[in-house]
Amino acid sequence: MLLELQGIKKYFPLKQRWGGKPSEVLKAVDNVDLTVAEGQSLGLVGESGSGKTTLGRIILKLIPFDAGRIVFEGQDITPFKGKQMRQVRKQLQMVFQDPYSSLDPRFRVFQLLDEAMLFEKEMKLADKEIFFSGLLKDVGLSADVLNRFPHEFSGGERQRIAIARALVVKPKLLILDEAVSSLDVIIQSQIIDLLLTLQKKFNLTYIFISHNLKVVKRISRRVGVIYKGKIVELAKTDELFNNPLHAYTKELLAAAIEYKPLSIRPTIALDGEFNFVDQGQEHFVLKSLGH
Amino acid sequence: MGRYILKRLLVAIPMVLGMTLLTFILMQITPGNFLDTIRMDPQVSEETIGHYQKMYQLDKPMFQQYIHWVYNLFHLEFGYSFYFNIPVAKVIAGRLFNTFVLSLASFLFTWMIAIPLGIWAALHRNRWIDRCIQFFSFICLSLPSFLLALVFLFLASQTNFLPLGGMHGPDFENMNFFVRSMDFLKHLIIPTLALSIGSIAALQKIMRGNMLDVLSQQYILAARAKGLPEDRVIYWHALRNAINPLVTLLGYEFSGLLSGAALIEIICSWPGLGSLMLTAVRSKDIYLVMANMLMGGVLFIIGNLLADVLLAKLDPRIRYDKKH
């Protein structure tokens, strides 16, 4: 396994008294176990606020978490800090949702790409330019963009730059956090095609976080459904879409097809003890122990 | 860029003229006249008054007087101060340095403290150190600067540590250069502190806000995800983007360099332009007021222009000429 998450928990305090313990918490990520094999893509779907973005950021250790372990390439990276963690981050890269705010407006494309390699000084400038040009070609941009600033590009082009930036350090795992959500449909499908091509070329592993079921269906081999910080169902993509077992997954799939007013939508309670049960063929569902 | 600057400067000319015209009208339509004060002085003869009247065409209608003033302006004649009985340029020149030194000292002090403080507060957001800074900033913002000056002067009088107002010690004439400078700096401390404390509090809050704004941007997260060390994330990515609004502010500060601070100058008996202008307005010394307004206006426009040019140099997104 390339990446293993064991019992990850992240609680945000909602109300906090001075010096005291928080009286209410938001369970953004609640006891999540996940594994991702090399070269695979895992889709994570869920509604806004379900904790999927938080989970993505935890994997990169961009935000601290309360409990659990992250094992990357057989190495427990949970206690890693500072320089050690920065080394690991070169294997784990991220593409963010909003290409308009994820590229520093003060930096030229060359600098944006170069910065990740800042501490690898052996490479000569000319070699770098060749390397970056190749990379830009891979993401479908011409080499002459190197000297331009982010604001000179369209959203789709910016997202291509963001992908190129993530690929500079030759990562193994790419976390795509709503990476196509702010793009229009045609650009979306172009970027997804690009991601699939790049995956083959560089043997990349993707964690694809999105609320958009169609996009997730196209890119992922396995899909996990997140609801209220818990993974409620995890299965191979076809299996999940054809044979959803958990009530929330059914609800999510139904909502993608037709619009239902909020008032007639059932709320699904997630209280008490749960168990992640294998239903055969690697199809896991969260089941309440009370039943 | 050169074309842009030229355009801005050309637009500035009617702006400055309009501002001076407004000042002129306001000074004229309020009751009283500067010549009245001179007439009351038995030492000044009717002839002298007649001479002034002729020189500045004071017997003519208001607008003619104004046009005459503008005409003189192009000959670098700024008019005559009736209160001080010498040309306006000389009156201002005598005070210019004092005001400039005090403003510059307070400006440097404010920015050198407030900017790092704001960054520090933003990086420790909502921790106790940040809360302390914000709490004291709130107090400092609420205290008027003249009150602070009075408090400082009182403390100085109790401790004899710092001089009580003025610019020089009593035996200034006999000091050598080094002692003179030290004496001058000592006199500078209280007015500078009084002027700066409120500004530090305000500027610190602005810097903190900008910094927090930028820190929440995705490119900061992206920079961290890239594996950059934290200080590079903060000083290369966050700070460079957070500084933009402050550049505009810097332009405003520039115009303030010569405007003086009347209250502090009066309390600390600092012979600057602020207290001079208060005297000028009260005694209806019209050309002195006009000259000061002109100076303030020109500096304001230059300061703004400098800020805009600097902003374009710093931020690649800002371009004034059409070509890309």
Side-chain angles (χ1 to χ4, degrees), chain B residues 257-270:
Chain B
L257 279 182
L258 289 182
S259 65
L263 276 174
I264 299 295
E265 284 171 9
I266 290 166
I267 291 168
C268 297
S269 17
W270 188 272

Side-chain angles (χ1 to χ4, degrees), chain B residues 275-286:
Chain B
S275 49
L276 178 75
M277 280 314 126
L278 202 62
T279 319
V281 172
R282 285 166 56 106
S283 58
K284 305 211 92 182
D285 197 347
I286 187 163

Side-chain angles (χ1 to χ4, degrees), chain B residues 158-180:
Chain B
Q158 296 296 306
T159 54
N160 271 335
F161 185 63
L162 286 172
L164 295 174
M167 280 178 67
H168 310 297
D171 51 349
F172 186 69
E173 304 294 323
N174 305 324
M175 296 174 184
N176 64 32
F177 178 74
F178 178 72
V179 183
R180 248 182 212 201

